[in-house]
Amino acid sequence: MLPQEIIRKKRDGFELSAREIGEFIRGMAEKKVDDGQVAAFTMAVFFNKMNSKETTALTLAMRDSGKTLNWKGFDKPIVDKHSSGGVGDKVSLILAPLLAAFDVYVPMIAGRGLGHTGGTIDKLEAIPGYNTQADDDTFRKVVKNVGCAIIGQTADLAPADKKIYAIRDVCATVESIPLITASILSKKLAAGLEYLVMDLKCGNGAFMGNFEDACALARSIVDVANMAGTKTSALISDMNQVLGKNVGNAVEIRESLDFLQGLPVDSRLKEVTFALGAELLISCGRFKDKSEAFSKFEQAISSGRVLENFAKMCSALGAPVDFVENADKYLPHAALIKPIYAAQAGYVAAMDTRKIGVAVIKMHGGRTVFGEKLDLATGFTDFAQIGDYVDEKTPLCFVCCQNENQFETAKEDILSAVKLSQTAVKINSPLLAKIK
Ligand code: URA
């Protein structure tokens, strides 16, 4: 069938067969489907959705657009975590080396920024020399020797997703359950995982704004992944505020290093990271319950093992051997760092989290066009959390930017994104539900 006929059928609300979906995805590799047709296809799916049969067919066709990794000879569980995307979400950077401290292999294939959300691969590229496009042999060697490796999709791993992802990023077709399911799982299934935990973000900084949609996405991912042979569960976590204190690329690497060094960290970031780690390591039999997992995590971090895993992973992938000790020397710095103060004192009551993610894009920390090179130094640090009291001495956050114009735009965005209350605000757990 011609690509335009497949697009037309979905545009008009009809179900596509597995054969039609497979033809469209294969057509991308064979250059019989161009980028405009991919954009139109994703828009048609965005509006008319896909049922579970179509979603499964799309996932498997995208997985099979490249090769599937095989971990024969790796004698420990092959595990991974993936997030549906958030603002300030640096969990993968912390969790990969943490999991690797517990006798599992973590071959993590991560993504670039998508829509208003940041991407692990963009963040890692703030580390000079870190090769996010390592070849297969290097990837396997690092996973074997260190226990974890985080890289981007190589040219031959779910290449259809790589292309569709980049097109969705700039065509406003991100927030779609079948497209997110297929995007995440095509990579994860191609990576040959045995166990996966999903962090399904829910709220105004996530692709799923409300709890029902987040549960539906979680259900879709969990069902397709388990059907395809990867034991998967999902936690639904709150994204109605930035996760952790820093938002941006280099600044999130900095915050992750603080976490790995055992310095005091944001409690919500810790709760989400530990809960995801526990879920995965309980599922593959490493721990009996959450409390055992949490205390082992604390011990592993304070022993320095987790930081060492991160340092080894970075240097094995090309970063300077002393990156972790001298991170401030190596990470890019913004020319201007200035605080933003609220107009009046009060308790932080709500955030328009998406707006904060978009504010980073405006400072070139995320893309507006396909393939754009980023300014990895820009972003926000020391972001106040919901429930925190701010006044003329305690800023809402600091802006890391390159000039006064960027600062003024960011200030306007942040002041309109953060709502204050004159009375104390209840602080809720960031963990909302679990889907098995
Ligand atoms: N992460 C992905 O890999 N794909 C999506 O569509 C959303 C989050």
Side-chain angles (χ1 to χ4, degrees):
M1 203 172 186
L2 293 173
Q4 56 268 47
E5 291 303 304
I6 296 174
I7 298 165
R8 187 164 180 266
K9 193 168 168 190
K10 188 37 73 186
R11 182 201 68 189
D12 293 344
F14 294 102
E15 177 180 338
L16 296 175
S17 69
R19 199 164 64 89
E20 287 159 344
I21 292 170
E23 252 175 57
F24 191 88
I25 298 299
R26 277 192 302 281
M28 288 170 58
E30 292 160 4
K31 308 260 181 284
K32 290 183 189 148
V33 173
D34 70 19
D35 290 1
Q37 289 171 317
V38 174
F41 176 79
T42 62
M43 195 56 92
V45 174
F46 179 90
F47 281 116
N48 287 325
K49 307 187 171 43
M50 279 181 154
N51 62 28
S52 63
K53 246 166 72 192
E54 293 173 290
T55 305
T56 303
L58 181 63
T59 305
L60 299 182
M62 284 166 61
R63 176 196 66 185
D64 296 338
S65 64
K67 70 173 178 204
T68 302
L69 301 183
N70 176 326
W71 298 98
K72 267 199 197 106
F74 285 65
D75 53 352
K76 300 171 192 168
I78 309 291
V79 310
D80 195 5
K81 161 263 166 193
H82 197 84
S83 159
S84 62
V87 180
D89 179 5
K90 70 266 311 159
V91 171
S92 292
L93 297 166
I94 303 160
L95 200 52
L98 178 62
L99 293 169
F102 295 96
D103 242 13
V104 292
Y105 289 120
V106 193
M108 191 178 273
I109 308 286
R112 296 194 179 276
L114 184 65
H116 64 282
T117 69
T120 302
I121 292 306
D122 293 327
K123 293 168 200 176
L124 283 169
E125 286 182 353
I127 302 175
Y130 190 111
N131 180 11
T132 58
Q133 306 304 309
D135 61 34
D136 221 36
D137 270 2
T138 312
F139 185 45
R140 298 176 81 79
K141 245 184 242 151
V142 182
V143 171
K144 184 94 188 172
N145 297 337
V146 181
C148 63
I150 312 177
I151 62 162
Q153 268 165 286
T154 50
D156 45 11
L157 201 118
D161 172 60
K162 196 169 184 184
K163 166 131 271 173
I164 298 172
Y165 189 96
I167 291 173
R168 285 167 62 219
D169 182 31
V170 292
C171 287
T173 54
V174 174
E175 300 92 337
S176 151
I177 290 177
L179 294 178
I180 297 177
T181 302
S183 166
I184 291 176
L185 289 184
S186 58
K187 303 188 264 281
K188 297 291 147 183
L189 299 179
L193 302 176
E194 293 172 310
Y195 299 89
L196 172 67
V197 66
M198 279 300 309
D199 183 9
L200 246 302
K201 302 286 188 199
C202 168
N204 63 17
F207 297 128
M208 296 296 122
N210 64 57
F211 186 66
E212 289 67 36
D213 288 344
C215 287
L217 176 58
R219 176 53 55 213
S220 166
I221 292 178
V222 167
D223 287 352
V224 176
N226 281 298
M227 181 280 305
T230 298
K231 190 172 178 207
T232 302
S233 56
L235 299 185
I236 302 197
S237 70
D238 175 67
M239 191 30 76
N240 282 305
Q241 61 176 308
V242 299
L243 186 60
K245 296 274 179 193
N246 295 1
V247 186
N249 294 295
V251 294
E252 289 193 40
I253 296 282
R254 181 64 268 170
E255 186 178 11
S256 304
L257 285 172
D258 290 350
F259 196 129
L260 297 170
Q261 277 161 354
L263 297 172
V265 288
D266 176 71
S267 60
R268 292 172 73 253
L269 175 62
K270 186 166 175 174
E271 202 176 337
V272 172
T273 307
F274 277 19
L276 289 161
E279 179 65 24
L280 200 47
L281 293 180
I282 292 167
S283 139
C284 70
R286 287 288 176 271
F287 299 128
K288 63 177 186 316
D289 58 26
K290 234 172 128 170
S291 101
E292 183 189 4
F294 278 35
S295 82
K296 291 278 169 54
F297 290 162
E298 294 284 7
Q299 285 166 24
I301 290 172
S302 51
S303 75
R305 258 157 64 216
V306 184
L307 182 66
E308 197 182 314
N309 286 344
F310 187 78
K312 281 189 190 157
M313 172 182 79
C314 291
S315 64
L317 285 165
V321 282
D322 64 337
F323 168 69
V324 160
E325 295 81 51
N326 294 304
D328 290 333
K329 179 177 106 191
Y330 289 115
L331 289 171
H333 292 281
L336 191 63
I337 300 178
K338 280 177 78 169
I340 298 176
Y341 294 96
Q344 272 191 286
Y347 296 90
V348 176
M351 289 183 196
D352 179 342
T353 317
R354 187 177 189 283
K355 196 168 199 173
I356 298 166
V358 172
V360 177
I361 299 179
K362 289 188 190 170
M363 296 191 283
H364 307 292
R367 291 176 188 80
T368 53
V369 290
F370 183 68
E372 186 179 350
K373 194 168 173 335
L374 303 185
D375 181 344
L376 299 170
T378 57
F380 301 102
T381 65
D382 304 282
F383 225 106
Q385 303 291 303
I386 289 182
D388 286 354
Y389 185 75
V390 294
D391 57 20
E392 75 286 355
K393 290 205 193 78
T394 317
L396 285 170
C397 65
F398 287 83
V399 188
C400 303
C401 57
Q402 302 300 5
N403 53 52
E404 282 292 342
N405 279 348
Q406 277 187 354
F407 174 74
E408 288 304 326
T409 306
K411 182 174 162 190
E412 201 177 303
D413 286 337
I414 297 304
L415 289 178
S416 62
V418 179
K419 298 281 168 265
L420 299 186
S421 153
Q422 291 317 302
T423 50
V425 174
K426 186 166 172 268
I427 301 169
N428 296 316
S429 164
L431 297 167
L432 306 178
K434 175 154 118 183
I435 307 281
K436 279 270 190 202

